[in-house]
Amino acid sequence: MAVLADSGSNPDVDLLYDINGLAKDAPHWFDRVMEFVGEYGLLLAMVLLVLWCWWSVRRRGGEDAASSMAALVWAPLAAGLAVLVNVPIRGFVERPRPFVDHQGLDVLVSGKSDFSFVSDHATITMALGVGLFVANRRFGLAGIGLALLEGFCRVYMGVHYPTDVVGGFALGTAVVLLLSPPATALLTPLIRAVERSPRLGRLVRRRPAAENGGDNTLLPSARKSMETEERDLAA
């Protein structure tokens, strides 16, 4: 990987300069926006998207609610696992940040002293996006779109090579898809047990009004109709 970083004619380095060069031509306020979005904003957006998907699955209910919810729970678990897998990868590759080996980059975030390959941000966002896709395609496509934007931001900010981002995408996707069958097989029975719980079941599926102990008082017209039917049966 060090050879890739040293070669100025390498497409990875050329693309780095092309994308990061956009930061030099952009207004200062836009760079500050990209800095916040790339460092924190898109991660927060992914969390909100997962919560939105949970709310949608819970509200829709149905017999497949437990399996959909198990796939949704797996998404953040897979993202965390992918980051753990990345720890030895970074230690093995030991690729320096691009601004260490290349001059003239507009680095929007300071204090990055760890290794570059692979990008944690790209890994986390793509794992969440693919995990969402397994649970719900509509939310998953939105999540994958946010992950792609995150990858662009990391290169734009000058803190990652494009191949760092691609490696993060591949790692996040691989962890989610390869471990999804055993993970959902373990999580689905657990989610079904939670669904049957009187108190925690509403986390999985919205309870009907009758199950929630709603007001069972009948309207006067309905009560009158029932009384008439009872008199008819008695006769």
Side-chain angles (χ1 to χ4, degrees), residues 117-128:
F117 186 88
V118 296
S119 167
D120 278 339
H121 282 72
T123 301
I124 292 171
T125 52
M126 186 55 75
L128 288 172

Side-chain angles (χ1 to χ4, degrees), residues 172-220:
T173 301
V175 170
V176 172
L177 296 183
L178 291 178
L179 299 180
S180 179
T184 52
L186 292 173
L187 288 171
T188 301
L190 178 61
I191 298 298
R192 285 198 178 121
V194 173
E195 185 181 15
R196 291 191 295 267
S197 171
R199 293 185 178 179
L200 300 178
R202 64 188 61 191
L203 294 174
V204 179
R205 185 172 59 174
R206 186 177 60 176
R207 302 287 191 183
E211 294 184 24
N212 283 331
D215 186 8
N216 293 325
T217 304
L218 296 174
L219 295 174

Side-chain angles (χ1 to χ4, degrees), residues 100-141:
V100 175
D101 292 325
H102 301 283
Q103 302 299 320
L105 292 174
D106 192 2
V107 184
L108 303 186
V109 180
S110 60
K112 298 288 184 180
S113 58
D114 55 342
F115 295 119
S116 184
F117 186 88
V118 296
S119 167
D120 278 339
H121 282 72
T123 301
I124 292 171
T125 52
M126 186 55 75
L128 288 172
V130 175
L132 280 172
F133 187 82
V134 174
N136 184 290
R137 290 188 178 182
R138 179 166 59 94
F139 284 95
L141 290 174

Side-chain angles (χ1 to χ4, degrees), residues 222-235:
R223 185 184 299 110
K224 184 177 180 180
S225 175
M226 289 184 65
E227 290 174 354
T228 303
E229 290 180 4
E230 289 176 357
R231 285 197 300 269
D232 292 340
L233 288 173

